[in-house]
Amino acid sequence: MSLTLVLKYAQFTRPISASYGCGRAWLCTSHKLHGNSVAGSLYHETYQRSIEKPAEFWGQVAEKIVWTKQFDKVLDTSESPMIGWFPGGELNVCYNAIDRHVDEGRGGQTALIYDSPMTKTVKKYTYAQLQDKVSKLAQVLVSMGVSKGDRVLIYLPMVPEAVMAMLAAARLGAPHSVVFGGFAAKELATRISHAHPKVVLSANCGIEPSHVVPYKPILDEAIAISKVDNLKCLIYNRDNYPKAHLKPGVDFDWNEAVEKVSRGHDAVPVESSHPLYILYTSGTTGTPKGVVRGSGGHAVVLNWSLKNIFGMEGPNKVWWAASDLGWVVGHSYICYAPLLAGITTILYEGKPVGTPNAAQFYRVIDEYKVNGFFTAPTAFRAIKRVDPENTESKQYSRASLKNIFVAGEHCDNQTRIWAQTSFKVPVLDNWWQTETGHPIAATCVGLGNDTNPPEHSCGIPLPGYQLEVLREDGEKAKAGELGRIVCKLPTPPGFMETLYLNDKLYKEAYFSKYPGYYDSMDAGVMDEKGYVYVMARDDDVINVAGHRISTSALEEVILQHPYVSDAAVVGVPDSLKGQLPLALYVLKPEHGQISEEQIGKELIQQVRNSIGPVAAFKLAVCVPALPRTRSGKTPRKTISDLAQDKSVKIPPTIEDASVYEHIVESLQRIGYAKNSSFK
Ligand code: COA
Ligand code: AMP
């Protein structure tokens, strides 16, 4: 594919010219030499070993974990693409994350710092205190009927009890499924129906800047919709907020239950492949996609990752991932990785801005002497918008900080440079997915990588990830040529085991299009030095403030409106959240006198009720008709291109090309497509 064609690649959803500057300049930067990634460097030697001798490499890395039964072998590819890591081995991830450090004499070290500007609370827990809390909570779960293999659903705000809940479930070998608080009752219900948990751990409320979110009524509604019977709930009542109504025999008060426990529960050894958790993610319509994370591989790779990818070594290091436990970044880098590595992790209940100001990131870094910080680019865009000169945060020192790591969405150069200047440390992008559980590509500072990677790149492939970029026909793309980023099998330790209750979908969704490879469904480029540039999702997923939202799922909800006959949702650029969903809908003739404004409001409410406020759905516009190809497909890409002011070529297979003129008119009414054109 030529350079011009690269920029016109049919699947792009992001405005390349805006985010990447001129394509030529972007490719030119990749020709520079990046000394530390060349042959002979520590990174290079480590990477080569991980690919050429994966069993030897990961077998050595696995020695840092306490196994209650040694694995029979390191790698089993006999059922590929289901890869077995450390078969025969047994361990407990909670033991490795807490008890191991206590047993090694580090029980007095701070494990967790909870900082909540929302409630003006700070709490600190040592590893010994965390062990006490978690083991007692595990005992409570046992008394509620939970044993190894039972699912435990966690629907909690960002309080220490959420971390304790994850670890208590892990202690029992009961896979947890954490659901993000910004999802509505129906989304929660889908997860409850699918995971069929024995117990749900929840709270009376979550606290958002503008309102209190009543979790318990949302949970009650979700359980009613899910029709799951015999479900017990353990409810944490937050101080200073109205207590949740507890149904006798069904709902139990968290604190009362824990107080009754005199001795905590020991960690239960589980097989290496035993599910540590199920995390639901977007990507396919209809069928829930529950990513299953195994125990052994995940513990091995996360324990290794903080030192080697993020340069965090030594027990006195302080690490802060400003994400939410409901997302994979929160699972891995608020909870498991820092605790496995035996360092201090910060749990922050607040936003980058407005809680109460734009100085909170700086305050937390200074107050706890944070050494490594991880967040999403959208958070920096939020601070930059409110306080571009950092006047609110002048008094805070950034001296403890060594690096900032960003992920979850593409980090535009302006934001990266602004954050780098503001925090006075390198801002390093890394690329990953719920499916992978840790980065696929990054600047591995712990392996001596240059902290000045080429602009726009998110680093080089992680050990274990043999990345390639393939064309539509499956042929390898050349360096600098755009295509689908794939990973050659075997996938490394920590990669998902399967999709919960759906091995078939696992194989079909990720391994059928490019046999022998994991299909990341991200479009991107690799340069001749191996640096990776991730452009956009190649499926129906858009990225809103670092959150993965399925446009088809939104369309389904919109089509439930009694007056809507057709709908298409596309992502449009947003200066804060990266992308926002925009719905084009067609009304049925019988819609009567209801105004478009009213229908728009109803659609927005419908999405909030079904999917949740996290979708940030605010843009809906009525159109007379949607474009359809002769085979019945909606060319969403052309609509999103028009909304992005691009010059669009109408596909020759479109039944009625005149619909585009009306679409442009409608988009212009809401401020988009002002400079779009047709080729
Ligand atoms: N529980 C309940 N509701 C929640 C919630 C939670 N845990 N988290 C978010 N919401 C709600 C918000 O209240 C808001 O609702 P509203 O429309 O009624 O106001 C909606 O979901 C969107 O919230 P949010 O995404 O936080 O947007 P925002 O405009 O309030 O804030 C940012 C913008 C950039 C500050 C915010 O998106 C952010 O901090 N993003 C970081 C993303 C991140 O960490 N991603 C993880 C990947 S590394
Ligand atoms: P999630 O599974 O929710 O973590 O979302 C994963 C998706 O987010 C990926 O498939 C990418 O599309 C996007 N993503 C994550 N990290 C990056 C990054 N560093 N650059 C560009 N896109 C990213």
Side-chain angles (χ1 to χ4, degrees):
M1 214 185 278
S2 72
L3 184 58
T4 352
L5 275 177
V6 162
L7 298 174
K8 286 181 189 163
Y9 183 67
Q11 300 291 338
F12 267 134
T13 55
R14 183 176 293 126
I16 299 303
S17 51
S19 344
Y20 290 87
C22 124
R24 191 169 300 281
W26 153 60
L27 276 185
C28 285
T29 37
S30 70
H31 285 275
K32 287 180 193 161
L33 273 178
H34 295 278
N36 285 334
S37 70
V38 297
S41 71
L42 178 59
Y43 161 79
H44 188 267
E45 189 261 327
T46 309
Y47 180 78
Q48 285 307 118
R49 249 181 356 112
S50 77
I51 300 301
E52 285 160 16
K53 296 181 177 167
E56 183 188 297
F57 176 79
W58 292 112
Q60 279 173 9
V61 174
E63 285 170 14
K64 298 267 193 275
I65 288 295
V66 173
W67 298 84
T68 47
K69 181 170 171 281
Q70 185 60 24
F71 37 89
D72 301 328
K73 56 178 174 173
V74 175
L75 172 61
D76 178 3
T77 55
S78 60
E79 308 225 358
S80 185
M82 329 293 270
I83 306 297
W85 283 102
F86 314 109
E90 287 183 8
L91 77 163
N92 183 281
V93 178
C94 174
Y95 175 86
N96 275 282
I98 305 179
D99 308 58
R100 177 164 58 109
H101 309 302
V102 178
D103 290 352
E104 286 170 5
R106 287 187 287 111
Q109 193 202 314
T110 307
L112 178 68
I113 300 175
Y114 164 62
D115 183 294
S116 169
M118 303 301 237
T119 57
K120 300 192 176 53
T121 313
V122 172
K123 287 183 190 169
K124 294 185 182 179
Y125 300 86
T126 63
Y127 274 93
Q129 287 166 334
L130 201 56
Q131 183 187 42
D132 181 60
K133 295 265 181 199
V134 168
S135 63
K136 285 183 173 160
L137 183 58
Q139 183 57 48
V140 171
L141 292 178
V142 168
S143 69
M144 293 174 83
V146 175
S147 59
K148 183 184 162 201
D150 291 334
R151 275 79 53 216
V152 168
L153 193 130
I154 299 170
Y155 183 58
L156 277 163
M158 287 283 283
V159 289
E161 285 67 20
V163 174
M164 292 167 195
M166 293 166 74
L167 292 163
R171 195 169 189 84
L172 300 175
H176 57 68
S177 189
V178 181
V179 180
F180 176 61
F183 283 121
K186 278 190 192 156
E187 281 291 311
L188 179 58
T190 309
R191 287 154 172 79
I192 293 175
S193 308
H194 196 254
H196 219 288
K198 199 154 227 177
V199 168
V200 177
L201 293 115
S202 189
N204 52 344
C205 63
I207 303 156
E208 284 294 293
S210 57
H211 59 291
V212 172
V213 185
Y215 275 36
K216 184 60 173 39
I218 296 175
L219 175 62
D220 288 342
E221 189 188 339
I223 293 174
I225 301 169
S226 76
K227 300 195 172 66
V228 170
D229 296 327
N230 300 324
L231 194 50
K232 290 187 180 151
C233 300
L234 188 66
I235 305 297
Y236 178 68
N237 275 306
R238 306 186 66 164
D239 293 342
N240 306 323
Y241 291 91
K243 287 196 167 190
H245 169 72
L246 302 185
K247 289 181 241 138
V250 176
D251 301 328
F252 299 87
D253 182 90
W254 187 303
N255 285 334
E256 283 174 17
V258 172
E259 269 162 31
K260 284 186 201 146
V261 175
S262 53
R263 193 182 173 279
H265 201 285
D266 287 338
V268 176
V270 300
E271 308 76 47
S272 177
S273 62
H274 186 78
L276 174 66
Y277 66 75
I278 303 161
L279 183 56
Y280 288 89
T281 187
S282 307
T284 344
T285 334
T287 324
K289 220 172 171 184
V291 165
V292 176
R293 185 87 53 220
S295 301
H298 192 51
V300 167
V301 83
L302 284 194
N303 186 45
W304 168 91
S305 72
L306 266 189
K307 172 173 179 258
N308 291 283
I309 309 176
F310 301 113
M312 292 286 106
E313 197 183 12
N316 297 320
K317 289 279 182 296
V318 180
W319 169 259
W320 178 24
S323 179
D324 191 288
L325 285 165
W327 309 116
V328 67
V329 172
H331 276 57
S332 291
Y333 288 103
I334 297 175
C335 180
Y336 287 111
L339 296 179
L340 283 163
I343 64 173
T344 303
T345 183
I346 295 177
L347 179 76
Y348 173 72
E349 188 186 29
K351 306 262 174 181
V353 294
T355 59
N357 54 26
Q360 294 305 302
F361 276 13
Y362 303 84
R363 175 187 64 77
V364 172
I365 287 167
D366 188 13
E367 210 155 303
Y368 308 112
K369 306 293 170 241
V370 171
N371 307 116
F373 177 45
F374 193 128
T375 191
T378 187
F380 288 131
R381 288 197 293 268
I383 302 176
K384 183 172 161 233
R385 180 183 274 201
V386 175
D387 186 18
E389 306 296 331
N390 295 306
T391 41
E392 294 181 20
S393 52
K394 268 200 186 109
Q395 74 267 37
Y396 298 114
S397 162
R398 296 96 158 127
S400 59
L401 198 60
K402 281 200 83 174
N403 293 295
I404 291 178
F405 306 95
V406 287
E409 56 174 325
H410 170 69
C411 185
D412 57 281
N413 221 25
Q414 277 186 342
T415 302
R416 193 179 60 79
I417 290 166
W418 178 85
Q420 216 153 257
T421 315
S422 301
F423 288 85
K424 301 183 174 60
V425 293
V427 173
L428 301 166
D429 198 355
N430 59 111
W431 168 52
W432 52 315
Q433 308 181 312
T434 305
E435 288 82 349
T436 66
H438 74 284
I440 313 165
T443 296
C444 298
V445 291
L447 294 174
N449 276 169
D450 192 340
T451 52
N452 190 21
E455 286 181 356
H456 312 296
S457 99
C458 49
I460 33 188
L462 258 280
Y465 275 103
Q466 199 173 350
L467 297 187
E468 284 174 19
V469 177
L470 300 184
R471 297 175 180 153
E472 265 298 293
D473 60 6
E475 287 296 307
K476 282 188 195 176
K478 288 190 293 229
E481 181 183 343
L482 189 69
R484 189 78 77 105
I485 315 179
V486 297
C487 167
K488 199 161 186 209
L489 286 164
T491 46
F495 188 85
M496 65 180 155
E497 297 280 323
T498 185
L499 290 175
Y500 187 56
L501 301 178
N502 210 337
D503 289 350
K504 189 166 169 272
L505 180 62
Y506 175 74
K507 290 176 189 164
E508 271 171 21
Y510 298 108
F511 301 96
S512 63
K513 184 160 181 189
Y514 302 105
Y517 295 92
Y518 162 66
D519 179 1
S520 74
M521 290 175 222
D522 274 323
V525 168
M526 275 173 83
D527 69 17
E528 69 274 24
K529 293 260 169 243
Y531 282 95
V532 180
Y533 304 74
V534 177
M535 308 298 187
R537 289 289 296 199
D538 241 359
D539 56 5
D540 69 350
V541 169
I542 59 170
N543 197 315
V544 179
H547 310 318
R548 207 158 126 174
I549 306 288
S550 157
T551 53
S552 334
L554 287 170
E555 282 168 15
E556 272 181 30
V557 174
I558 287 163
L559 285 167
Q560 284 162 14
H561 191 284
Y563 292 140
V564 171
S565 64
D566 202 358
V569 175
V570 297
V572 292
D574 179 70
S575 60
L576 175 65
K577 298 198 174 190
Q579 279 187 300
L580 281 180
L582 161 71
L584 276 70
Y585 62 92
V586 181
L587 285 176
K588 289 180 183 166
E590 63 269 26
H591 75 275
Q593 295 310 307
I594 303 186
S595 67
E596 196 185 321
E597 192 191 353
Q598 179 58 26
I599 295 201
K601 276 188 193 157
E602 289 174 13
L603 292 178
I604 289 167
Q605 196 53 46
Q606 212 162 288
V607 170
R608 289 179 72 89
N609 294 345
S610 291
I611 292 181
V614 66
F617 177 61
K618 296 182 177 89
L619 300 169
V621 64
C622 181
V623 292
L626 286 169
R628 283 273 143 73
T629 63
R630 291 199 186 99
S631 58
K633 292 209 169 75
T634 313
R636 291 177 182 76
K637 170 83 173 61
T638 55
I639 303 172
S640 110
D641 280 354
L642 285 172
Q644 292 171 42
D645 286 335
K646 288 189 186 166
S647 176
V648 170
K649 184 169 187 315
I650 298 176
T653 51
I654 289 293
E655 294 262 347
D656 175 7
S658 69
V659 296
Y660 278 105
E661 282 163 33
H662 299 294
I663 286 179
V664 169
E665 277 167 31
S666 302
L667 289 173
Q668 286 177 346
R669 272 192 283 130
I670 57 163
Y672 287 90
K674 294 232 165 83
N675 298 308
S676 62
S677 59
F678 294 103
K679 284 179 203 158

